[in-house]
Amino acid sequence: MTTTALPTTPALSPLMGSVPGYAQTLPLYPSSASVARLSARTTLACWGLEAMADDVVSVVSELVTNAVQHARAACLLPDEPGTCRLTLERPDRHTVWLSVTDPSGRRVRRREAADDAETGRGLAIVNALASRWLVQPSRNGKTVWVELTCGR
């Protein structure tokens, strides 16, 4: 009889930088988007930024979902899903920086989604909620970085 181990939830680890932050490496599985949403809500609650939770969670969900949908094909081994890395930082009392790094060098581009389309609105949502955002390509993929601010 063989047993299959259930995947463990990746740990949310504190960052040792100059600002408070947490990071988490997630497999490129669809279920990672819900883990990322829970991690974002937990982090914001610890920081007392619950008022920002809906916006931050929406952006985190879109970026992790995009990584799962588009970066998995960039992984070298077909049996391995690859990973993305979620980072949340709080540079001040009213600002959250978040980023998602994935192994795909594929360009990020906004699309105009048809009214009845089920996909294609992710970056429009990011653009509407973010104070600013950018994509940083690298040799090993890319990082989508987003800044969100709460009313001062």
Side-chain angles (χ1 to χ4, degrees), residues 27-89:
L28 292 173
Y29 289 133
S31 60
S32 289
S34 66
V35 172
R37 288 190 296 271
L38 179 60
S39 296
R41 279 200 191 280
T42 301
T43 299
L44 292 170
C46 289
W47 290 340
L49 295 174
E50 292 91 343
M52 296 180 69
D54 289 343
D55 289 354
V56 171
V57 167
S58 293
V59 171
V60 164
S61 187
E62 292 301 333
L63 295 182
V64 172
T65 298
N66 283 350
V68 169
Q69 290 178 342
H70 302 293
R72 192 166 178 172
C75 298
L76 299 177
L77 301 173
D79 296 340
E80 294 293 322
T83 60
C84 66
R85 184 156 178 88
L86 169 65
T87 303
L88 298 156
E89 296 176 284

Side-chain angles (χ1 to χ4, degrees), residues 70-133:
H70 302 293
R72 192 166 178 172
C75 298
L76 299 177
L77 301 173
D79 296 340
E80 294 293 322
T83 60
C84 66
R85 184 156 178 88
L86 169 65
T87 303
L88 298 156
E89 296 176 284
R90 189 192 75 208
D92 65 42
R93 294 180 333 145
H94 306 284
T95 305
V96 172
W97 292 339
L98 68 92
S99 64
V100 174
T101 301
D102 70 52
S104 173
R106 193 171 160 191
R107 279 187 63 169
V108 173
R109 55 186 190 101
R110 279 180 57 184
R111 301 184 307 187
E112 289 296 322
D115 289 341
D116 60 345
E118 293 182 14
T119 62
R121 293 179 184 81
L123 291 178
I125 291 170
V126 171
N127 195 59
L129 297 175
S131 302
R132 57 186 172 144
W133 66 282

